[in-house]
Amino acid sequence: MLRAMQSMAFGARSLGDAADVLYAMVTDPQCKVILTLAGAVTIAKLDLIIAEMIERGIVHCIISTGAVLCHGFNAERGSPHFKIPAGKSDEWLYESGYNRIYDTAETEYAMDELEDIVLDILDHHPAEVTLCIRISLPHWGVISWKKDRAMA
């Protein structure tokens, strides 16, 4: 189907061409694939596709924006994302305690909790040591946070 899309126009043609490029990269054992992500891909429910690409060895490295990390972390903590009902204004969302993310929303409460978690991580990390996800999540990860919260 993707190959057939190469004969179409606009985004369909680009998607067909991209599929060929991806196939060439995946079948070349010398090629290392770096996946760059921007925006809230976890809210779009693309996280399982990304995980599959990692598990199959298609992706070797990921570079992402903070949105990917923040919304994914909140989703992992059980914070739901909601489809915004038609006709709801940003003012209504704000007054109801929601943040708009394209056509979905997340609670302000979840974002506030996330801010507290990140501040706690930063407060317990030596300033002279570079902080990265590989270092911080295993020690201050979602699972231990959930357990600590459940006991509180």
Side-chain angles (χ1 to χ4, degrees), residues 12-128:
R13 182 179 301 141
S14 296
L15 186 58
D17 291 342
D20 275 352
V21 171
L22 179 61
Y23 181 79
M25 292 187 319
V26 170
T27 57
D28 180 352
Q30 299 299 314
C31 183
K32 300 300 179 199
V33 177
I34 299 172
L35 178 64
T36 58
L37 303 170
V41 295
T42 51
I43 293 172
K45 305 298 183 200
L46 296 174
D47 47 345
L48 294 178
I49 293 171
I50 295 166
E52 183 81 16
M53 290 169 63
I54 294 166
E55 289 172 4
R56 289 179 181 236
I58 295 169
V59 170
H60 304 98
C61 177
I62 296 176
I63 299 171
S64 74
T65 63
V68 174
L69 201 56
C70 290
H71 297 300
F73 193 62
N74 271 348
E76 189 65 27
R77 293 187 312 111
S79 174
H81 297 94
F82 306 95
K83 180 180 177 184
I84 297 174
K88 297 297 182 184
S89 67
D90 286 346
E91 291 80 17
W92 179 87
L93 288 168
Y94 174 79
E95 290 169 4
S96 300
Y98 296 104
N99 288 302
R100 174 185 292 278
I101 307 150
Y102 303 105
D103 61 350
T104 61
E106 183 172 25
T107 64
E108 180 65 32
Y109 179 77
M111 297 304 287
D112 290 344
E113 277 190 328
L114 179 61
E115 182 179 1
D116 291 341
I117 293 168
V118 171
L119 288 173
D120 187 49
I121 291 169
L122 295 175
D123 285 345
H124 290 88
H125 189 78
E128 64 277 358

